[in-house]
Amino acid sequence: PIRAPIATVLDFLNDLFVEGKAYGTLKSYMSAFSAIRGKVEGHTFLTHPDVATFLKGVLRRRPPVKRTIPCWDLEVVLNYLSSDVFEPPVRASLADWTLKTIFLIAITSVSRVSELQALDRRPELSRIRRKSLILRTNPAFLPKVLKAQYINRHIDIQAFHPDPRNKDQRRLNTLCPVRAVNIYLEKSAPFRRPNVHNLFVSYKKGAEGMPVSKARIASWLVSVIVRAYTFAGKEVPQGIRAHSTRAVGTSLACVRGVLLQDICRAASWASGSVFANFYCLDMAPQGTSLTDSVLARSTP
């Protein structure tokens, strides 16, 4: 329909609406068409009176829905990640430990899947210590928000109870993302390939040590949540998405006292309105760092 008259474009939009597509999806199509074709009848697709009227009707009939509570419980997942499926680490498979590590990094760094996929383990870029991590993406990686402060930014993660002194602290330390990364690097070392610098690599037989796609990392994050609910004997929630780790992580950090500007910086958001409008969830108040704020929510 890019070259078609407006009537055909409206038919196309109506078909999408009947299929159940959201207002944002239809608007994205019109933006793309405008970028390719330019103006039609003196208007862009989005500003053409007929299209604008149709989209206004779609917005009224099918307004966007903002989820105000998380569809999954972080406590259920953290209990699973500290269970005997993973502990002690020597008994855990590389596959299981990969899932544990990627989830802990995702939830405490509130990074996008694309950022997780681009994390570079080379020592000139990342600093991996016993009590802290400074992770950076490959220099060629371009973030979703193309601003100077988000290009080649570093992700700073502190250890969670690194020197446990009692049973409770030892259990909490099993959720430490710094510990998880260090053990993950030990477990994956035999399979790593010299020319592959990604922090997270495939554990699939025949492809061990190879880079993984963004879709694969997203599926790993969803898999952790699904497995956690199955392990707990609970019904698996509907609508689980990998991207939800950003909403859960940032919302917990917010209610636990992390400054909004620090949350926005960690999540690569240009302003607090992005968080307020699209990510802020109603989380029960329970630290100062993102790591403590997220992981301290639950005592397994």
Side-chain angles (χ1 to χ4, degrees):
I2 296 176
R3 299 293 177 186
I6 288 297
T8 304
V9 173
L10 291 173
D11 288 339
F12 173 72
L13 287 174
N14 187 64
D15 290 342
L16 291 177
F17 178 76
V18 172
E19 290 175 9
K21 303 299 184 185
Y23 166 78
T25 301
L26 273 61
K27 189 175 177 181
S28 296
Y29 271 106
M30 294 300 97
S31 295
F33 290 174
S34 295
I36 296 172
R37 179 174 177 177
K39 292 187 176 182
V40 56
E41 299 179 7
H43 302 275
T44 66
F45 279 96
L46 278 175
T47 60
H48 190 283
D50 293 341
V51 174
T53 300
F54 184 89
L55 290 176
K56 185 177 180 179
V58 170
L59 185 58
R60 289 181 177 277
R61 291 280 302 276
R62 191 174 291 157
V65 177
K66 181 193 174 201
R67 186 182 295 276
T68 57
I69 58 173
C71 71
W72 52 272
D73 188 346
L74 179 59
E75 186 174 352
V76 172
V77 181
L78 296 184
N79 283 334
Y80 170 61
L81 293 179
S82 61
S83 72
D84 55 12
V85 173
F86 305 93
E87 302 294 336
V90 67
R91 292 210 311 245
S93 66
L94 175 59
D96 284 339
W97 200 265
T98 299
L99 297 182
K100 174 170 181 167
T101 306
I102 194 76
F103 186 89
L104 290 175
I105 294 298
I107 200 73
T108 55
S109 71
V110 295
S111 296
R112 294 181 175 88
V113 167
S114 58
E115 294 173 310
L116 297 172
Q117 192 258 355
L119 288 176
D120 195 311
R121 67 183 177 87
R122 285 178 290 182
E124 60 267 31
L125 293 173
S126 296
R127 300 285 186 271
I128 300 173
R129 303 287 186 259
R130 191 180 75 84
K131 293 187 177 183
S132 66
L133 299 174
I134 295 179
L135 302 176
R136 288 185 173 87
T137 56
N138 186 288
F141 171 74
L142 291 178
K144 180 179 180 180
V145 181
L146 289 175
K147 291 195 172 184
Q149 63 265 40
Y150 302 138
I151 296 177
N152 295 328
R153 74 179 181 93
H154 71 270
I155 297 170
D156 188 356
I157 298 178
Q158 299 301 310
F160 188 61
H161 292 281
D163 298 304
R165 298 181 180 180
N166 54 50
K167 181 179 179 181
D168 288 340
Q169 290 183 358
R170 283 193 293 273
R171 297 182 73 186
L172 288 171
N173 180 245
T174 63
L175 299 172
C176 176
V178 179
R179 169 181 178 265
V181 167
N182 277 283
I183 295 173
Y184 172 68
L185 288 174
E186 291 178 8
K187 284 181 171 290
S188 60
F191 307 100
R192 289 192 175 271
R193 308 191 182 198
N195 60 333
V196 176
H197 307 303
N198 302 66
L199 175 61
F200 294 107
V201 293
S202 176
Y203 53 76
K204 186 177 179 181
K205 188 174 181 180
E208 295 97 332
M210 293 295 291
V212 290
S213 65
K214 291 181 289 185
R216 177 60 62 191
I217 288 181
S219 72
W220 285 350
L221 294 175
V222 172
S223 175
V224 172
I225 300 170
V226 171
R227 291 185 185 195
Y229 272 81
T230 303
F231 180 81
K234 297 177 178 288
E235 183 179 354
V236 178
Q238 298 297 311
I240 299 174
R241 298 172 58 237
H243 202 64
S244 63
T245 56
R246 281 168 60 79
V248 171
T250 53
S251 297
L252 277 171
C254 182
V255 299
R256 295 183 66 84
V258 176
L259 295 176
L260 181 58
Q261 57 262 41
D262 292 334
I263 293 174
C264 291
R265 187 183 306 113
S268 300
W269 290 327
S271 70
S273 62
V274 177
F275 170 62
N277 291 334
F278 301 104
Y279 290 90
C280 187
L281 301 172
D282 182 13
M283 311 292 285
Q286 283 279 322
T288 53
S289 76
L290 273 171
T291 303
D292 280 347
S293 300
V294 173
L295 298 181
R297 181 178 189 274
S298 169
T299 301

